[in-house]
């Protein structure tokens, strides 16, 4: 039972059955989406396990799937640049299952020498989108034909929903077609129960298949809001082309993705609201060169109180896992934008941040 914040709110236990997980692994069998080479007397793929196994990707893909296929797994207790580079040098991995920040790390760090990448045959990137330009920059550094696949999934789907074809080049930015036995539809975000939309039309992605969770543990209401007639609301905005290749364009759900990890803004807001000088707060994710996104807090102090950015960052740091820290900074505001029923309008905070960034 891994945890996920779903489309809103605090983390919830995701009930994945044995059947969900076995189904998802079986859905990854077709030749054109199988990134692992068969284990024989002469060959065994070596896989560094970088994402922790409390993360659905580290658990089902980099551990269960690879063990089933007879790979040799090299576990890293915690990602440390030097240790990762040592593994490249000493274990010569063939396949890297990564999130985009690790591709950026390998591209940008001089300590990762191109020759260290020579045993690498395939890379599968997931947990957040990897840009086409970032992919090209990595390949230019590696000076080698490495197949880079992209996957799309979520904890609630055990996790894989779609994967790019290994042999045929997918359109840039696309995550390929859904894995076998997976249905999808795109619906109007303002009318999710209305008719589904056709090719090239952007809306919320809904998914149905044997890998979809049973529900959120002890949260019947949230389960009901997320799954209708077996269709899972992904909270992601997407479109598909005439061949049903899916492209994810935006996120409707609120979670922030730091190095591929979920950071639910509501969790940070709850912590920050406990600070004696804070009247109100709203948290969003802002873009970060290496981590993908990082959390930034917009804070309204209590009358007469003063809030120092660094002090508030330390206050949060003491209470959360390191990837949840306020690395995106703190901004003081007179008022947090909300709609009439008190819902924080994170979109407005994002627009405000973007305006300030564009100016500087
Ligand atoms: C790299 O892969 C592409 C596409 O599969 C192929 O056309 C090309 O010849 C390969 N280049 C090298 C150097 O192997
Ligand atoms: C969809 O992706 C496949 C590769 O998997 C590619 O051959 C095909 O041209 C793509 N379709 C469109 C409409 O771009
Ligand atoms: C979708 O967009 C592609 C590329 O712009 C175009 O070739 C195709 O005809 C469009 N399909 C539909 C059904 O509109
Ligand atoms: C405020 O937003 C919430 C969540 O999107 C929505 O359910 C509610 O109807 C909105 N209230 C108003 C008055 O717009």
């Amino acid at each position: 039972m891994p945890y996920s914040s779903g489309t809103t709110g605090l983390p919830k236990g995701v009930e994945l059955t044995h059947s969900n997980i076995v189904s998802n692994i079986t859905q990854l069998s077709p030749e054109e989406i199988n990134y692992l080479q068969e284990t024989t007397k002469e060959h065994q793929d070596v896989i560094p396990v970088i994402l922790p196994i409390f993360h659905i990707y580290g658990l089902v893909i980099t551990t269960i799937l690879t063990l089933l296929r007879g790979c040799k797994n090299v576990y890293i207790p915690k990602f440390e640049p030097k240790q990762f580079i040592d593994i490249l040098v000493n274990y010569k991995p063939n396949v890297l299952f990564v999130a985009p920040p690790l591709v950026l790390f390998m591209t940008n760090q001089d300590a990762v020498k191109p020759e260290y990448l020579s045993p690498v045959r395939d890379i599968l990137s997931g947990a957040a989108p990897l840009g086409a330009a970032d992919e090209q920059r990595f390949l230019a550094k590696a000076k080698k034909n490495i197949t880079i696949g992209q996957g799309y999934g979520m904890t609630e789907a055990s996790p894989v929903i779609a994967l790019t074809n290994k042999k045929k080049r997918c359109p840039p930015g696309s995550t390929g077609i859904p894995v076998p036995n997976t249905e999808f539809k795109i619906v109007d975000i303002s009318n999710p129960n209305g008719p589904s939309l056709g090719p090239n039309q952007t809306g919320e992605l809904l998914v149905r298949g044997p890998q979809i969770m049973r529900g959120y543990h002890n949260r019947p209401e949230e389960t009901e809001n997320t799954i209708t007639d077996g269709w899972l609301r992904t909270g992601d905005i997407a479109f598909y082309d005439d061949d049903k290749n899916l492209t994810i364009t935006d996120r409707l759900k609120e979670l922030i993705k730091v190095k591929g990890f979920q950071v639910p803004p509501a969790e940070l807001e709850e912590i920050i609201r406990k600070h004696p000088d804070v009247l109100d707060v709203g948290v969003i994710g802002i873009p970060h060169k290496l981590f993908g996104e990082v959390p930034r807090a917009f804070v309204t102090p209590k009358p007469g109180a003063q809030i120092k950015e660094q002090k508030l960052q330390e206050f949060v740091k003491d209470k959360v896992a390191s990837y949840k820290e306020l690395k995106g900074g703190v901004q003081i505001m007179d008022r947090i934008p909300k709609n009439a029923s008190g819902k924080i309008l994170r979109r407005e905070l994002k627009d405000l941040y973007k305006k300030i960034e564009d100016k500087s």
Side-chain angles (χ1 to χ4, degrees):
M1 193 160 63
Y3 273 68
S4 164
S5 79
T7 49
T8 64
L10 296 174
K12 297 174 267 292
V14 175
E15 292 179 343
L16 294 178
T17 62
H18 185 77
S19 162
N20 285 150
I21 291 175
V22 172
S23 299
N24 204 222
I25 283 171
T26 310
Q27 288 169 308
L28 300 176
S29 309
E31 174 67 24
E32 62 274 19
I33 53 170
N34 178 12
Y35 286 78
L36 296 166
Q37 197 169 311
E38 197 184 344
T39 304
T40 62
K41 273 193 183 137
E42 287 75 38
H43 179 85
Q44 183 183 33
D45 271 349
V46 175
I47 318 288
V49 183
I50 303 156
L51 277 161
I53 54 181
F54 63 74
H55 189 286
I56 190 72
Y57 183 15
L59 175 66
V60 176
I61 305 304
T62 6
T63 293
I64 302 179
L65 177 71
T66 53
L67 291 179
L68 177 74
R69 300 274 170 83
C71 303
K72 169 173 164 178
N73 287 354
V74 183
Y75 284 84
I76 307 179
K78 181 170 185 275
F79 178 78
E80 304 274 7
K82 180 170 181 319
Q83 198 169 32
F84 173 68
I85 294 167
D86 285 347
I87 286 176
L88 287 179
V89 175
N90 298 325
Y91 291 90
K92 306 194 180 347
N94 309 101
V95 185
L96 302 179
F97 291 95
V98 302
L102 195 71
V103 176
L104 303 183
F105 170 82
M106 292 188 285
T107 308
N108 296 331
Q109 292 291 319
D110 292 336
V112 180
K113 303 225 167 71
E115 59 266 32
Y116 297 171
L117 300 169
S118 63
V120 178
R121 184 187 69 233
D122 296 290
I123 294 184
L124 194 64
S125 176
L130 174 68
D134 290 330
E135 185 178 317
Q136 285 314 315
R137 284 201 308 125
F138 170 77
L139 289 174
K141 166 156 185 181
K143 299 194 183 74
K144 171 167 192 256
N145 245 351
I146 296 174
T147 309
I148 303 186
Q150 284 213 55
Y152 166 69
M154 56 200 296
T155 310
E156 289 83 344
S158 304
V160 185
I161 292 170
L163 208 56
T164 54
N165 191 308
K166 234 175 88 168
K167 296 180 174 150
K168 288 190 259 159
R169 184 118 192 104
C170 265
S174 164
T175 60
I177 62 167
V179 293
N181 291 326
T182 303
E183 297 171 274
F184 74 85
K185 60 182 177 183
I186 305 285
V187 298
D188 188 337
I189 52 172
S190 54
N191 183 17
N193 297 318
S196 48
L197 305 177
N200 297 343
Q201 288 183 282
T202 301
E204 185 176 359
L205 172 66
L206 272 65
V207 180
R208 185 159 73 174
Q211 74 272 50
I212 302 304
M213 66 167 179
R214 188 159 68 181
Y216 293 118
H217 188 56
N218 289 341
R219 304 280 187 140
E221 204 173 301
E222 271 142 325
T223 302
E224 205 176 300
N225 290 339
T226 308
I227 305 180
T228 311
D229 295 332
W231 288 101
L232 173 82
R233 283 191 58 189
T234 64
D236 286 314
I237 308 292
F239 68 87
Y240 62 93
D241 65 24
D242 291 345
D243 292 324
K244 303 194 170 59
N245 296 312
L246 264 179
T247 301
I248 309 296
T249 58
D250 201 358
R251 217 152 47 203
L252 193 63
K253 62 187 164 216
E254 300 181 332
L255 61 91
I256 303 166
K257 280 276 178 101
V258 184
K259 300 192 244 181
F261 293 108
Q262 283 192 1
V263 180
E267 182 181 337
L268 290 175
E269 286 159 3
E270 193 169 282
I271 291 169
I272 296 169
R273 250 185 250 115
K274 290 190 183 129
H275 188 283
D277 294 331
V278 169
L279 181 69
D280 202 3
V281 58
V283 172
I284 58 163
I286 60 167
H288 185 277
K289 271 207 298 290
L290 286 178
F291 300 164
E293 287 184 319
V294 286
R296 179 177 179 83
F298 294 79
V299 186
T300 305
K302 282 189 183 154
Q306 283 229 337
I307 292 172
K308 290 259 180 308
E309 172 166 24
Q310 205 191 340
K311 283 267 156 56
L312 191 66
Q313 283 172 314
E314 280 163 15
F315 177 81
V316 172
K317 186 175 173 172
D318 287 344
K319 299 173 179 62
V320 297
S322 63
Y323 63 88
K324 292 182 178 172
E325 290 170 17
L326 288 179
K327 297 215 170 79
V330 174
Q331 186 169 333
I332 305 299
M333 287 185 88
D334 292 342
R335 188 183 62 81
I336 305 300
K338 290 186 183 163
N339 80 1
S341 27
K343 160 111 184 138
I344 298 172
L345 299 171
R346 289 181 224 281
R347 191 51 59 191
E348 279 190 22
L349 291 175
K350 286 199 169 188
D351 291 345
L352 176 80
Y353 176 76
K354 200 167 171 295
K355 252 188 237 147
I356 294 168
E357 275 301 280
D358 289 348
K359 256 195 227 147
S360 60

